[in-house]
Amino acid sequence: VGCDSTEVLQLTVFNSTSSTINVTQCGGSYFWNGVNYNQSGLFSFSTTTASGCDSVAYLNLTIAQPTFSSSQVTACGSYSWNGTNYTQSGSYSKLLTNYLGCDSTAQIDLTINPFPTAAIINSNTAVCSGGTAVFYLTGTDSSTLTYNINGGITNTLLLSPESAFIKISNVQSAQTLNLIAVTNSTSGCSVNLNNSSTISIGTVSGN
């Protein structure tokens, strides 16, 4: 009949979609969209949206493993580790969390060496002028004692049952033995000392 005719197109354009998730799994495997993954990697899953467009999902997967570390430690007297003070030798472990959020077990094999000892055990008796002053000592065998007499030069003595004394001949005045430190060469442990003893000069009474 020659009349105009108008057609209207209502068009909706849907875009394809994509998404990514990042997952860290501690050991074992990770189940995603029907598949178990036991290795780290980038995985994809394709599907269709409700509007019929393509949709791709990506899984950025890290499979992390629990970690273990061990160390040998030698200390004198005691050792502080992860908030605990240990005074006996042994193997100790602590369960922690590593930077990936997985279990991390730390272990130390600890050797505690005792501090060496040294002391003066003489009776502080007086000696006559020109006599011999003798200081008797006790302490850890095979340890090196550092000392001085009357605040003079520093000397050392290797302690043993046969040499646990210090003799000073021909004394003319009081003699003071000052213990400074004792070190055990086997363990490497050392202790500062503050122990002194004085032998005075006696007088001889006459008729």
Side-chain angles (χ1 to χ4, degrees), residues 8 36 46 55 57 77 84 108 170 174-175 197:
V8 178
N36 268 314
S46 297
S55 175
T84 302
I108 58 169
N170 192 26
Q175 301 294 303
S197 181

Side-chain angles (χ1 to χ4, degrees), residues 10-86:
Q10 293 184 334
L11 177 64
T12 302
V13 176
F14 295 99
N15 295 318
S16 59
T17 62
S18 68
S19 61
T20 301
I21 59 172
N22 298 301
V23 175
T24 298
Q25 172 77 17
C26 294
S29 60
Y30 183 76
F31 184 80
W32 183 64
N33 285 316
V35 179
N36 268 314
Y37 298 92
N38 55 22
Q39 291 183 339
S40 300
L42 181 63
F43 306 98
S44 62
F45 177 78
S46 297
T47 186
T48 303
T49 66
S51 59
C53 296
D54 291 338
S55 175
V56 180
Y58 295 96
L59 169 66
N60 185 20
L61 177 63
T62 300
I63 299 291
Q65 300 300 326
T67 56
F68 176 84
S69 64
S70 178
S71 59
Q72 304 280 338
V73 176
T74 299
C76 298
S78 65
Y79 184 73
S80 182
W81 182 65
N82 281 313
T84 302
N85 194 55
Y86 298 92

Side-chain angles (χ1 to χ4, degrees), residues 101-115:
C102 300
D103 289 342
S104 174
T105 301
Q107 177 180 301
I108 58 169
D109 296 320
L110 179 63
T111 300
I112 296 292
N113 290 317
F115 286 109

